[in-house]
Amino acid sequence: MKLSLRFVLPLILVLAGIAYVVTPLVDQLTLRWFVRDIDMRSSLIANTVQEPLLELLASGRKAKIVNLFNRISKDERLYAIAYCATAKDAALLSRTLPKEIRCANLDQWEGPRDHLLLSAQGPLHVAVKAMASETAPEGRLVLVHDMKFVTLRSAETKRYVFYFFMGLAVVISLITVIIAQLSWRGWMAGVRALLRGEGLLVWQQGSEAQPKQSEFKPIARDLQRLIRELESESRTRDEGQVTWSADALRAILHGELRGEDVIVVSNREPYIHQRMDGHIEVQRPASGLVTALEPIMRACSGTWIAHGSGTADREVVDKDDRIAVPPENPAYKIRRVWLSKEEEAGYYYGFSNEGMWPLCHIAHVRPIFRSSDWEQYVAVNRKFAKAVVSEAKTKNPIVLVQDYHFALLPKMIREELPDATIITFWHIPWPNPESFAICPWRDAVLEGMLGSSILGFHTQFHCNNFVDTVDRFIEARVDRESFNVSFGGKLTAVRRYPISIAWPPEAEMVQKPVADCRSEIRQLNNLPPEHKLGVGVDRLDYTKGIMERFRAIERLLELNPEWIGRFSFVQIAAPTRTGIEEYQHHETQVREMAARINVRFGLNGPPPIVLKVQHHEPREVYEYFRASDLCFVSSLHDGMNLVAKEFVAARDDDRGVLILSQFTGAARELPESLIVNPYDADQCAAALHMALTMPADEQRDRMRLMRGLVAEFNVFRWAGRMLLDAAAMRRRSKLGERNGREER
Ligand code: GDG
């Protein structure tokens, strides 16, 4: 509309200006025409009157002449007619001549011009014709025409000129608007095509691409330059100069992936329905993965496929096993996949957690591989692949496959949906080729994973191990420069995407002041107000090095006995995979060790170790983080470790010390923590002592640096970078397809 007005308003103004100038000209022209007409008319009347008038003059019958004049002047336009024998005589006339016309002043109207007279009666036309007779050789006939009709005609002309220009304005405006709209649409479509890289002739080595439509030539180069600048700007932003947020991620997804078909597959579901004392409760598992992937699902209204593990999960789904979530404001769907007890035992507890988990973590627990577990793993992966195919709305969905439970899924999806963009993220470490060779189905696992378009790990070290493993065991082409693996005619990009946590943390988590957290947590655990406190938060898993942690505490008390009775360590240990024997054994060992150390150093005062084997709510976990003087993460091997980052996020008071195992992915990002080897008890004890005696300003300096890093490299960046890479990959393959078509 604005565009049309931009064209129409100036057009109307110009036409109005032309009308303003043209109207008086037309007026003058018509006046000239009328005057000329009346001149001719006057000559005609004079010629007609001449004969009878001369006869009457010759006979001297003046009364008859007046009668003749009266008859003639009945004509409505002829105002008066008179005869002057000489300049001195009085005139013979039809009715009273206007007083401005006298026989003595007729000369002024005798010429070819200036016949107009503005008298008191209005505008008049005066024509003087020589009408000499024998008796009056100077005789002249005066014909006076009324010109009022000219004024009326002039008004009428003005009206018509006005209507004419109005009509002209409407017609020209309509045509202009239609042409403008059509051209605008054409332009927009052309510019959009240029922005998408379409509408360009094939790129030639070392030259700019040329637009197909010649009218875009002048701007094509500028547009291409602009696009390149924006891309490099967004790359700079990617490098972490701007803080990523849920909103930024949503905006990017809207821009890059609007209308795309996005499917997430994970073992754990983001919302679990549990039956509790007669009512159904919705639980949200505390998981970084859910935090990271939810904005994607909300922005794309996608589908999240997961194992329906809640006791009331079946009661709430529709006939297609779907439920819209979040419950308070549905934005995407969960598609639940049901597993039998045998399937769960073989796929989840067996192959995934007794086989792959110890295989990928160097924690000196032997992996157990049973062929029956493998069969269930294959069958369950196939079940999920079917679910993905049935949920896909297009031939080329974006599928985000999560973790080691689904190593075979990428290939299975690729077989059914060859054009899908499959991003697999492996949340745990990838071992070296010798360690991986233990797996009896190693080739099938590798081939399964190479069905992915992008394969993500937390660290470059894990990417290197994976590429080495592929190079060693299967017939694939590995490009170590680009980190792409070519297998079965398809490329897999192996990339590093370090996972993180949401930033800023939820307001509810850091609501309670640190001082209140410190006093309340000490009271809750019957500890004196000034008691030093350390904290550990983990699933009760042997890879987390909880026993090594306890050994380090024991060593601290041996080497620095001044801490006996002045320092306690709270270990929150969430029960996990309790159906697996190794985990039951581990729990027993952890409990026994805590008890032994407490007997050794805690009989006369507060216990050095407070072991809490139970699930805690995220808010409670954060209260412990805020109440503690240090947090100890001693994983024997860990893909990333989110607890380290959560502790940093919880400390908005810039206090507290993080002790971090060198075998976590997080250690590469948080060098300001006290990095330790968890197997070296003396070193860990020294780090504990250093943390307990660290001056406040050193704590602040270290914590600020770590908080800066976690803020910048947060979970939205993790998800955003993966999806931006996927979007770029899709654009490139679209361009390739089009160029292929054009070459054909
Ligand atoms: C895998 C990889 C990678 C723990 N106990 C409780 C509780 N937690 C929460 C923590 C944290 C999460 O669980 C544990 O995350 P981690 O990263 O430490 O470890 P994994 O569970 O082994 O996760 C790991 C991760 O995937 C992401 O890719 O970092 O390397 O092994 O958020 O706070 N939460 C609650 N109660 C507990 O008792 N609410």
Side-chain angles (χ1 to χ4, degrees):
M1 191 60 207
K2 264 188 187 163
L3 174 79
S4 307
L5 278 181
R6 221 179 297 156
F7 282 100
V8 169
L9 271 182
L11 195 86
I12 288 177
L13 285 177
V14 169
L15 283 176
I18 294 175
Y20 185 75
V21 175
V22 160
T23 311
L25 290 177
V26 172
D27 216 21
Q28 272 178 24
L29 191 69
T30 47
L31 180 67
R32 253 208 319 267
W33 288 343
F34 284 130
V35 170
R36 214 181 312 142
D37 280 357
I38 293 175
D39 276 348
M40 282 161 62
R41 200 168 189 269
S42 301
S43 301
L44 200 73
I45 296 172
N47 290 339
T48 317
V49 164
Q50 188 169 22
E51 213 180 299
L53 179 64
L54 289 179
E55 273 174 23
L56 289 173
L57 282 171
S59 60
R61 286 184 286 184
K62 287 187 181 172
K64 284 255 179 186
I65 292 173
V66 171
N67 273 348
L68 175 69
F69 283 177
N70 280 341
R71 252 194 343 267
I72 295 168
S73 65
K74 271 191 186 137
D75 179 307
E76 61 170 313
R77 300 237 185 111
L78 197 61
Y79 182 78
I81 182 166
Y83 176 76
C84 292
T86 66
K88 290 184 193 115
D89 287 347
L92 293 170
L93 39 89
S94 55
R95 12 178 140 146
T96 330
L97 268 182
K99 62 178 182 322
E100 293 89 345
I101 305 172
R102 294 280 165 263
C103 287
N105 65 358
L106 291 182
D107 293 350
Q108 56 184 302
W109 292 293
E110 215 165 11
R113 302 180 353 83
D114 300 333
H115 292 219
L116 285 180
L117 169 68
L118 266 178
S119 75
Q121 287 77 24
L124 298 171
H125 176 276
V126 185
V128 178
K129 305 281 172 195
M131 192 89 22
S133 67
E134 287 162 11
T135 51
E138 297 169 33
R140 283 180 289 183
L141 187 68
V142 182
L143 295 149
V144 182
H145 275 92
D146 191 349
M147 291 286 279
K148 265 198 213 105
F149 78 97
V150 175
T151 329
L152 293 176
R153 290 264 170 95
S154 160
E156 220 169 297
T157 310
K158 276 182 195 154
R159 211 167 44 242
Y160 282 127
V161 169
F162 174 75
Y163 289 150
F164 171 76
F165 275 99
M166 281 287 287
L168 198 66
V170 169
V171 171
I172 295 181
S173 301
L174 265 177
I175 294 171
T176 312
V177 166
I178 291 168
I179 293 175
Q181 288 291 347
L182 289 178
S183 320
W184 183 250
R185 277 181 206 172
W187 262 79
M188 279 291 115
V191 172
R192 278 205 191 107
L194 277 182
L195 288 174
R196 286 194 303 265
E198 294 165 5
L200 292 171
L201 292 180
V202 184
W203 291 81
Q204 280 159 10
Q205 202 68 37
S207 69
E208 297 273 341
Q210 292 298 315
K212 277 179 185 168
Q213 282 161 278
S214 57
E215 62 260 44
F216 293 118
K217 259 187 195 151
I219 58 158
R221 190 166 299 179
D222 291 342
L223 266 180
Q224 284 159 12
R225 196 178 316 125
L226 190 69
I227 291 166
R228 274 201 297 276
E229 277 169 18
L230 286 175
E231 277 177 354
S232 89
E233 220 172 79
S234 97
R235 265 199 296 281
T236 317
R237 187 180 51 200
D238 257 17
E239 293 315 318
Q241 291 186 3
V242 168
T243 302
W244 282 73
S245 63
D247 286 342
L249 177 59
R250 257 192 292 274
I252 284 174
L253 294 175
H254 272 299
E256 296 282 333
L257 297 173
R258 191 176 25 201
E260 299 282 17
D261 187 10
V262 178
I263 300 172
V264 167
V265 188
S266 70
N267 176 66
R268 180 83 67 89
E269 49 184 348
Y271 292 87
I272 309 175
H273 290 82
Q274 300 283 25
R275 185 152 279 289
M276 301 270 188
D277 314 322
H279 71 282
I280 294 175
E281 208 175 277
V282 186
Q283 291 181 349
R284 273 197 76 180
S287 143
L289 192 141
V290 173
T291 318
L293 298 178
E294 261 234 317
I296 302 175
M297 300 310 282
R298 285 176 189 238
C300 301
S301 303
T303 306
W304 190 316
I305 304 175
H307 170 210
S309 57
T311 48
D313 273 359
R314 281 178 196 265
E315 294 174 48
V316 294
V317 292
D318 65 12
K319 64 174 181 23
D320 297 313
D321 302 326
R322 297 187 189 127
I323 180 165
V325 287
E328 63 283 1
N329 182 20
Y332 67 95
K333 289 181 306 246
I334 298 180
R335 158 77 190 273
R336 285 176 172 150
V337 174
W338 313 116
L339 299 181
S340 66
K341 282 268 164 280
E342 296 71 43
E343 283 174 325
E344 203 178 344
Y347 138 84
Y348 179 73
Y349 289 107
F351 192 78
S352 296
N353 287 317
E354 286 188 287
M356 294 300 275
W357 178 266
L359 177 77
C360 291
H361 289 93
I362 306 167
H364 312 287
V365 169
R366 281 187 184 156
I368 301 172
F369 290 111
R370 303 179 195 94
S371 53
S372 56
D373 289 347
W374 171 249
E375 280 158 22
Q376 294 293 3
Y377 188 79
V378 176
V380 171
N381 270 247
R382 185 140 335 267
K383 211 173 199 180
F384 274 83
K386 273 197 189 133
V388 170
V389 174
S390 75
E391 292 299 331
K393 294 185 206 81
T394 58
K395 283 198 316 218
N396 61 343
I398 296 175
V399 189
L400 295 150
V401 178
Q402 302 302 312
D403 231 350
Y404 61 100
H405 312 95
F406 298 114
L408 308 179
L409 194 56
K411 185 180 175 211
M412 292 173 174
I413 299 170
R414 172 79 57 222
E415 282 163 3
E416 298 293 324
L417 299 167
D419 297 328
T421 303
I422 305 168
I423 309 171
T424 302
F425 192 78
W426 198 259
H427 289 259
I428 61 175
W430 188 270
N432 61 42
E434 287 73 29
S435 303
F436 187 72
I438 294 172
C439 177
W441 298 281
R442 65 177 187 212
D443 292 4
V445 168
L446 291 173
E447 287 172 16
M449 291 171 78
L450 288 176
S452 317
S453 319
I454 298 177
L455 181 53
F457 294 96
H458 291 301
T459 68
Q460 191 56 43
F461 187 61
H462 301 153
C463 295
N464 296 350
N465 277 349
F466 178 80
V467 166
D468 288 346
T469 312
V470 168
D471 212 8
R472 181 82 64 86
F473 299 119
I474 59 172
E475 284 295 322
R477 196 156 51 79
V478 172
D479 181 342
R480 291 193 183 259
E481 188 123 331
S482 62
F483 256 72
N484 288 337
V485 177
S486 169
F487 177 69
K490 272 276 175 192
L491 270 193
T492 301
V494 181
R495 297 283 179 273
R496 180 182 79 99
Y497 300 106
I499 204 169
S500 192
I501 56 169
W503 188 278
E506 276 178 52
E508 196 204 341
M509 300 294 163
V510 286
Q511 206 171 25
K512 197 181 272 185
V514 167
D516 294 358
C517 294
R518 287 182 74 88
S519 61
E520 283 174 27
I521 290 292
R522 280 166 179 73
Q523 261 174 27
L524 190 76
N525 291 284
N526 298 317
L527 301 170
E530 292 312 313
H531 200 69
K532 289 281 184 183
L533 199 68
V535 68
V537 180
D538 308 79
R539 288 182 300 101
L540 193 37
D541 193 296
Y542 52 82
T543 61
K544 300 295 177 186
I546 298 173
M547 289 174 61
E548 283 71 12
R549 201 173 302 172
F550 290 176
R551 200 163 292 136
I553 293 163
E554 186 175 26
R555 195 75 186 116
L556 168 79
L557 301 180
E558 282 169 10
L559 295 173
N560 301 90
E562 70 269 25
W563 292 115
I564 299 171
R566 289 179 54 217
F567 166 66
S568 294
F569 190 85
V570 176
Q571 176 62 51
I572 291 177
T576 179
R577 305 168 194 170
T578 45
I580 298 175
E581 216 182 296
E582 189 65 44
Y583 282 79
Q584 293 160 4
H585 177 58
H586 179 245
E587 184 180 335
T588 311
Q589 282 185 311
V590 167
R591 283 185 187 276
E592 280 175 6
M593 194 168 183
R596 186 180 60 72
I597 296 170
N598 283 344
V599 168
R600 188 172 167 201
F601 293 107
L603 279 184
N604 301 321
I609 294 175
V610 181
L611 178 60
K612 293 173 175 288
V613 181
Q614 69 198 71
H615 179 84
H616 287 67
E617 285 306 306
R619 196 183 32 76
E620 295 174 288
V621 172
Y622 266 72
E623 261 182 59
Y624 271 99
F625 283 147
R626 285 163 79 73
S628 302
D629 299 288
L630 64 91
C631 173
F632 193 178
V633 174
S634 54
S635 307
L636 305 181
H637 204 187
D638 218 334
M640 175 53 70
N641 192 285
L642 295 178
V643 171
K645 294 186 174 180
E646 286 166 356
F647 174 67
V648 167
R651 299 314 298 257
D652 52 8
D653 61 337
D654 292 338
R655 295 291 297 270
V657 182
L658 174 65
I659 303 173
L660 184 56
S661 159
Q662 67 186 77
F663 304 119
T664 59
R668 280 150 223 261
E669 293 183 75
L670 302 171
E672 294 78 22
S673 60
L674 302 183
I675 308 276
V676 294
N677 172 0
Y679 293 97
D680 185 342
D682 282 23
Q683 189 200 41
C684 291
L688 280 167
H689 181 69
M690 186 179 170
L692 289 169
T693 53
M694 189 180 282
D697 51 355
E698 186 179 344
Q699 290 183 33
R700 190 196 54 226
D701 291 348
R702 287 174 183 265
M703 189 54 84
R704 280 192 182 163
L705 284 166
M706 293 193 285
R707 285 174 66 79
L709 183 123
V710 178
E712 209 168 283
F713 289 75
N714 58 38
V715 78
F716 306 113
R717 182 181 188 275
W718 172 76
R721 284 218 29 206
M722 263 190 306
L723 285 160
L724 282 177
D725 286 352
M729 196 175 249
R730 284 161 84 87
R731 271 202 304 273
R732 266 197 297 276
S733 86
K734 266 188 203 159
L735 203 64
E737 275 168 29
R738 210 179 13 255
N739 287 348
R741 270 202 308 275
E742 273 161 17
E743 274 161 24
R744 260 180 262 136

